[in-house]
Amino acid sequence: MTFKNTLSYAQELDKEDPLRSYRNEFHFPKVKGKQVIYFTGNSLGLQPKRTKKYVDDVMDDWAQLAVEGHFYSEKPWWDYHERLAEPLSKVVGALPKEISVMNTLTVNLHLLMVSFYRPTAKRFKIICEEKAFPSDQYMLQSQARFHGFDPEVTIVEVKKREGEHAWRTEDFLDKINEVGDELALVLIGGVNYYNGQVLDMEAITKAGKSVGASVGWDLAHGVGNVALKLHDWGADFAAWCSYKYMNSGPGNASGIYVHEQYLNRKDIPRFEGWWGTKKDTRFLMKPEFEPMENADAWQISNAPILSVAPYLASLELFEEVGMPALIEKRNKIVAYLAFVLGEIAAEVDSSFEIITPKDRGCQLSVFLHGEGKALFTYLMENGVITDWREPNVIRLAPAPFYSSFEDMYRFGQILKQGILSK
Ligand SMILES: Cc1ncc(COP(=O)(O)O)c(C=O)c1O
């Protein structure tokens, strides 16, 4: 596709965009009285306007019904979270029964490791990506120590090759085969937070399973961003947060996926609580735990309704639009952003290196050769909300729900002024 770096062309693309009306479904912050160009949907998605009503409904029910709200509100709280399983299953490519919503991401990964990281003296190693998100690194290290293993020996990182910005799939597969029958678990960020790369989750899952390891995915940057087929790939488990592309609010509830082969079983080690036991006998307060037939067996506490309500509001939008339409817009708008970056680099005789490979979702990570943090600050002061990662990278993540092609064009103009004004 041949693009043009003009305002009228960008506006033309917006007119043709079937998702253009969804921009109005979101609140945009303002800088100096002007609506921002928002590139940090990979960090905290914008607030859908309909979210407030979902939260207000819970507040009203609480005010009017108090404890009776558990059973008699319009959306009773005791099974409120179950409403999320069906729409979420479509977003992550799973069966509804394989989904639950609870806790927060790192907590859930720890809980899932209770079930899926069962090291023995021979099979105890964990494969992850080099420089995994720090929370994942701390989690893996603490899990290794908890089981009495040395993290240095236990955690095997797959590295990028010298001078390359992206991982190669074959390097994951080779490492999995090399560690072989010492490998207990593969646990990787499916979409990398730093370079925006989408890993070949299917190939890596199959390789991990073929050597007898468990395979799980941290999908913080994948959910609501890329096509996922967790069930068909045969992944054992996954977890994600809901505050990035899922637009559910700061620190909000996490989702989990557990493959159906592990459901309805008492022999799976798990940390258990009363919300994981069967609904029909839960309030008999029996001492025996009877696991729910679905992934809710991993629920420990009663669900945080004020967190789950915004997640439900957001999932309604995903239901309306569907991942295929979001992905189609994503591909076009990210390609247009890459084009605009190239045009501006040529106009100002500067070079930005897009370190995100072609296997990408919403995010372009851009290495600013020689431009640096002053340019980032200029962008922020001029209404372009992006983020800075050391040593010299800004991450730009247009979100197909609410970013416009005009935003991409206007961003290019602000970037150009920022470079020329120095
Ligand atoms: C890839 C990845 N993993 C884990 C986390 C940690 O999430 P939480 O604070 O919800 O546990 C984040 C947060 O941004 C993340 O990006």
Side-chain angles (χ1 to χ4, degrees):
M1 183 157 202
T2 12
F3 292 125
K4 287 185 217 157
N5 188 27
T6 64
L7 178 59
S8 58
Y9 179 77
Q11 287 171 336
E12 209 45 52
L13 291 180
D14 281 326
K15 265 193 218 136
E16 291 163 11
D17 172 13
L19 302 190
R20 65 187 175 282
S21 63
Y22 282 91
R23 186 172 168 85
N24 271 332
E25 293 270 352
F26 291 85
H27 290 291
F28 281 77
K30 289 190 173 154
V31 168
K32 297 178 189 159
K34 271 181 70 180
Q35 181 168 309
V36 299
I37 298 169
Y38 197 72
F39 278 125
T40 42
N42 59 345
S43 182
L44 180 69
L46 292 181
Q47 183 187 131
K49 289 178 183 165
R50 65 180 73 182
T51 300
K52 195 163 182 307
K53 178 175 180 333
Y54 280 67
V55 176
D56 285 349
D57 285 349
V58 177
M59 295 298 283
D60 290 346
D61 286 340
W62 179 21
Q64 284 149 28
L65 299 169
V67 72
E68 297 283 74
H70 280 296
F71 297 104
Y72 301 113
S73 46
E74 198 190 317
K75 297 188 185 96
W77 305 331
W78 83 300
D79 59 3
Y80 194 107
H81 62 283
E82 291 182 2
R83 294 173 173 77
L84 285 81
E86 171 94 32
L88 254 181
S89 71
K90 293 182 203 156
V91 175
V92 300
L95 307 173
K97 65 181 174 185
E98 294 173 322
I99 302 294
S100 190
V101 171
M102 59 196 213
N103 310 312
T104 44
L105 173 54
T106 311
V107 172
N108 282 342
L109 287 172
H110 271 300
L111 291 175
L112 289 163
M113 284 184 75
V114 169
S115 302
F116 295 101
Y117 180 54
R118 308 289 300 155
T120 62
K122 177 154 170 56
R123 192 185 276 281
F124 64 97
K125 292 192 175 169
I126 303 170
I127 283 188
C128 67
E129 73 280 37
E130 171 187 37
K131 293 190 181 149
F133 190 80
S135 197
D136 290 5
Q137 294 187 46
Y138 309 145
M139 172 184 72
L140 297 180
Q141 290 162 16
S142 61
Q143 283 272 347
R145 283 194 299 270
F146 175 77
H147 286 283
F149 294 98
D150 176 359
E152 289 284 325
V153 184
T154 305
I155 301 169
V156 180
E157 293 184 347
V158 176
K159 300 193 185 311
K160 292 181 219 122
R161 296 191 189 180
E162 191 65 32
E164 296 187 6
H165 292 301
W167 284 270
R168 298 197 190 193
T169 303
E170 68 255 38
D171 292 346
F172 281 102
L173 307 188
D174 288 350
K175 190 58 82 183
I176 286 169
N177 288 323
E178 185 190 313
V179 180
D181 57 10
E182 288 185 349
L183 186 61
L185 175 67
V186 177
L187 180 46
I188 300 173
V191 177
N192 185 256
Y193 81 98
Y194 186 83
N195 73 356
Q197 179 177 6
V198 183
L199 296 180
D200 188 338
M201 289 177 253
E202 180 172 13
I204 295 169
T205 300
K206 295 212 157 105
K209 298 301 300 170
S210 76
V211 300
S214 296
V215 180
W217 294 98
D218 172 348
L219 293 175
H221 289 261
V223 67
N225 175 12
V226 301
L228 299 167
K229 292 189 178 166
L230 289 172
H231 177 86
D232 289 349
W233 295 337
D236 294 302
F237 69 97
W240 52 90
C241 53
S242 62
Y243 41 80
K244 299 177 187 291
Y245 300 106
M246 298 304 298
N247 309 318
S248 297
N252 207 0
S254 157
I256 67 159
Y257 150 90
V258 178
H259 193 278
E260 70 172 336
Q261 67 188 292
Y262 305 109
L263 302 181
N264 220 1
R265 279 172 52 177
K266 283 190 179 175
D267 60 331
I268 303 281
R270 216 176 4 227
F271 284 170
E272 295 170 342
W274 71 321
W275 236 246
T277 197
K278 282 203 169 123
K279 272 161 66 177
D280 44 356
T281 51
R282 183 176 302 154
F283 297 104
L284 299 179
M285 303 304 200
K286 295 190 309 178
E288 306 85 35
F289 181 87
E290 294 284 338
M292 291 279 293
E293 313 72 16
N294 54 21
D296 286 344
W298 275 260
Q299 287 249 350
I300 295 177
S301 299
N302 71 101
I305 304 303
L306 286 166
S307 291
V308 182
Y311 203 171
L312 186 59
S314 160
L315 279 167
E316 204 181 87
L317 287 162
F318 278 85
E319 271 289 274
E320 266 171 47
V321 173
M323 283 308 293
L326 286 166
I327 288 170
E328 204 179 317
K329 161 116 183 244
R330 177 204 77 190
N331 288 342
K332 197 165 169 186
I333 200 163
V334 174
Y336 188 55
L337 173 61
F339 166 79
V340 168
L341 280 166
E343 292 291 291
I344 300 299
E347 281 177 35
V348 296
D349 198 19
S350 195
S351 67
F352 320 118
E353 192 181 350
I354 297 177
I355 61 169
T356 306
K358 287 276 176 271
D359 297 327
R360 67 192 182 196
C362 293
Q363 179 180 325
L364 288 183
S365 298
V366 183
F367 201 91
L368 301 172
H369 287 284
E371 304 293 349
K373 205 155 185 182
L375 181 57
F376 162 74
T377 308
Y378 179 91
L379 291 173
M380 293 293 279
E381 284 171 358
N382 285 278
V384 178
I385 309 294
T386 168
D387 79 2
W388 172 261
R389 283 283 174 271
E390 297 293 341
N392 214 3
V393 166
I394 56 169
R395 300 185 302 168
L396 304 169
F401 260 127
Y402 50 75
S403 299
S404 69
F405 290 88
E406 184 172 334
D407 282 346
M408 303 304 109
Y409 169 78
R410 291 200 185 278
F411 158 68
Q413 296 306 301
I414 297 170
L415 179 67
K416 184 163 132 186
Q417 285 154 20
I419 295 168
L420 294 178
S421 67
K422 280 204 285 124

